[in-house]
Amino acid sequence: MRLLIVLFWLLVAAASGPLLVLSGVALALSPSLPDVDTLRDVKLQTPLRIYSKDHKLIAEFGEMRRLPISFEQIPQGFIDALLAAEDDNFLHHHGVDPVSLLRAASELVSTGQIQTGGSTITMQVAKNFFLTSDRVFSRKLNEILLALQIERQLSKREIFELYVNKIYLGNRAYGIEAAAHVYYGKPIAELPLAELAMIAGLPKAPSAFNPVANPERARIRRDWILSRMLQLGSIDQATYEEAIAAPVSARNHGANPELEAPYVAEMARLEMIERFGTAAYTDGYHVYTTVDSKLQEQANRALRKGLIDYDRRHGYRGAEANHADVAPAEWPRLLRGYPSLGGLRAAIVSEVGAQGASIVLRNGETSTIAWEDMRWARPYLSANSMGPQPGKPADVVQPGDVIRVQSAGEPGSYVLSQLPQAQSALVSLSPQDGSIVALTGGFSFLQSNYNRVTQARRQPGSAFKPFLYSAALDHGYTPASLTNDAPLVFNDGHQEEDWRPRNSGGDFLGPIRLREALYRSRNLVSVRLMMDIGVDEALTYIERFGFSRSDLPRHLSSSLGTPELTPLQMAVGYALIANGGYAVSPWLIERIEDAEQNVIDFTRPVVTPEAAPAQQARINAYSGLTTDEALPQPELAEQVIDPRTIYQLNSMLQDVITRGTGSRARALNRQDLAGKTGTTNDQKDGWFAGYNGDYATVVWVGFDQPSPLGRREYGSTTALPIWTDFMAAALEGRPEHSQPQPEGLVSVRIDPYTGRSARPGTPGTLLEIFKEEDMPPSYSELEIGGYSTEDALTPLELF
């Protein structure tokens, strides 16, 4: 009996020893454990997302793709699948599963390492939020202790929600909602059971069981989970059989942008980094821009079409490469090195016949290009010349050629194209508040992320002249003033050669009214205007349009548009003309929301009186104020130019479209359009800047490394067609919108040859707009005989 008692106590001691040791270790580790309460306020790393004004996703930035969801949003099928895969006893244990731990301990004793881990979902939450992934004994003990604490302080729903939002599931997807979008392109609530089981199989090994990279291994894992669900009674036999019969349909959907606006996204990203630093990538900000998705899509289309049309006019430069020596079976793989750019897909010519050419595309698709869709391809020789017209398809392409094709409209139908070498930029602002409604900085962001809207400084040529003409109208000139379009020669003693400014056609028209000089874009008139006003005085005045004086060279040549300016700067200047003389500034970010989509900041731009009511509504909505509280008022833009001057200038710029270099815009059949073309020396830059009361839009076309566009290419042939295509869509269905005529203006009938008031009954007279103080005397007040031409030129001096 005594021996039995001794043996009993020895067994108790043997059993208690490990417990005492574990208890001691637990007591020693407990003070260093983190506070589990912090899980209630955990902030998951969530990427930065950029949206259009109408809530279309443009881009996502950040290493972790995450879309946190609540427990209520998780489908029951996924809950059952994940429990079957990871922890089928989750609802019944208290954070630790003794059977799993014993299995892990056995592995530790037999191998010296923990192989399976024995972790419950609660233990994985502890590890994911508080601990490292090192497989060491001390970390495992901490994991157990934290799991026990988590179970005491959080509900099973809270623990499950934390787990499914935190776990990494491959392809930069963190959390089950992000994984659903990445692999299937839709929310997890819309996935069928087979796809839910596929995602439930990822936590164990996101790379090994990745359905995109390893579809067969992923299917095996999925089917095992479905069989476990059947064993556990989560699904019935019919549901099981239907799910395992489903094919593996996963593919990488990326961030699923809904709107192509990469230059806009990059501008917004840079602004967010400037404001929030690297936290911009992780704190889940939602950034809503001022860009309208419809206008942005049209800007993309118009710019690409304009560049492709220009490129075609100058001939075909040939294939990008030839791989006739590569086996045709390898062509789809080889084409992976030729990404689609600006909607132009790469293809390899497989066969050339009398009626066209057969092609193979990157995805293995085969198609044909008809002879009619390639006969445009005369060989490119230079910007000014092309080779002979091709007579057959073999004159254009050869088997093995890597070419670019463009969709012909019908699915699977293509036309021959090529990547344009010229580039373009388009930006459109609301003149009433400066918001950017559309912006594209080049043919393809993937090809070049150089944003020509904000970074390309180019000479605007004659598109700059309206700012000088505004100065003239505020310095005693009228639209009817005569100025001499005649030769000038300059040499300040420091130049090797005389400067002889000339008109684009090389001709001179003599005395010409200011209105006609603008719509005919007469260079010599612009030079004389700046001479008369004074270079410093003129440039100081032009600063009112939003330009920095440092960007305006102190030289008479500035009158011809030699300052190097960005398209965005030009758009700001034209917006001021469009809105009646109010100085507005460009802005892109409409509002910023936090991860919970609470508005944390919004832009408060200066606005014109016309835009003030809409701005007040924004302020009221975002400030969260009631009508009983004091509401902040919109800040009104400063009117920096006499509205009468702007009205006169606007009338003159409308003539650019109705009878001048912008006449192609007449196709829009609107009376509220105005603008100006611009072409620089040797046709290196083509511009069109135009507007109505809704949009001020600027288009530039040229080469990144300045080079002639061709002797027959001008702003009217390169930039204006892009502008017209964009504005046609932007203004569709919108009423005409022009600035009202301000007080202090009068209309007088004038003689077009003298610019003075016309004698009653004189044929061919014109109606002109004058400020009251500049109104010419009526003919009845003059001596018999009226003005002579020489009289009409005074007090303006003939230089």
Side-chain angles (χ1 to χ4, degrees), residues 209-268:
F209 299 131
N210 188 305
V212 175
N214 298 299
E216 183 57 27
R217 291 190 68 183
R219 184 191 62 78
I220 293 171
R221 172 72 172 166
R222 178 201 71 179
D223 291 353
W224 177 82
I225 291 173
L226 291 169
S227 67
R228 288 281 297 142
M229 294 176 72
L230 180 62
Q231 292 171 15
L232 295 169
S234 301
I235 56 174
D236 58 26
Q237 185 68 34
T239 304
Y240 166 75
E241 292 176 357
E242 179 184 356
I244 62 168
V248 177
S249 59
R251 63 182 179 86
N252 193 344
H253 290 259
N256 284 336
E258 301 169 284
L259 175 65
E260 185 185 2
Y263 293 99
V264 171
E266 180 64 6
M267 289 172 65

Side-chain angles (χ1 to χ4, degrees), residues 65 70 108 347 357 397 598 641 680:
R65 295 173 180 158
S70 66
L108 178 63
V397 296
N598 301 308
I641 296 179
T680 59

Side-chain angles (χ1 to χ4, degrees), residues 542-657:
I542 289 172
E543 286 182 69
R544 301 183 193 182
F545 288 89
F547 302 114
S548 169
R549 186 57 176 270
S550 62
D551 291 332
L552 305 175
R554 187 178 177 273
H555 194 276
L556 277 173
S557 65
S558 289
S559 63
L560 305 182
T562 59
E564 294 183 339
L565 303 167
T566 67
L568 183 59
Q569 288 176 297
M570 290 292 291
V572 171
Y574 273 83
L576 187 147
I577 303 173
N579 66 30
Y582 293 92
V584 295
S585 298
W587 54 290
L588 179 64
I589 293 183
E590 201 272 337
R591 70 182 185 277
I592 301 171
E593 297 179 355
D594 62 18
E596 286 71 43
Q597 297 192 305
N598 301 308
V599 177
I600 60 173
D601 198 9
F602 65 97
T603 303
R604 302 165 181 79
V606 296
V607 298
T608 67
E610 181 179 322
Q615 174 66 356
Q616 184 67 71
R618 285 183 68 245
I619 291 174
N620 296 355
Y622 295 147
S623 298
L625 302 175
T626 67
T627 55
D628 297 328
E629 296 174 294
L631 296 172
Q633 298 299 302
E635 182 180 353
L636 294 181
E638 180 184 3
Q639 190 162 34
V640 296
I641 296 179
D642 186 336
R644 301 176 302 166
T645 298
I646 292 295
Y647 191 86
Q648 289 177 307
L649 180 63
N650 177 69
S651 173
M652 296 162 71
L653 289 173
Q654 286 179 325
D655 277 359
V656 172
I657 290 178

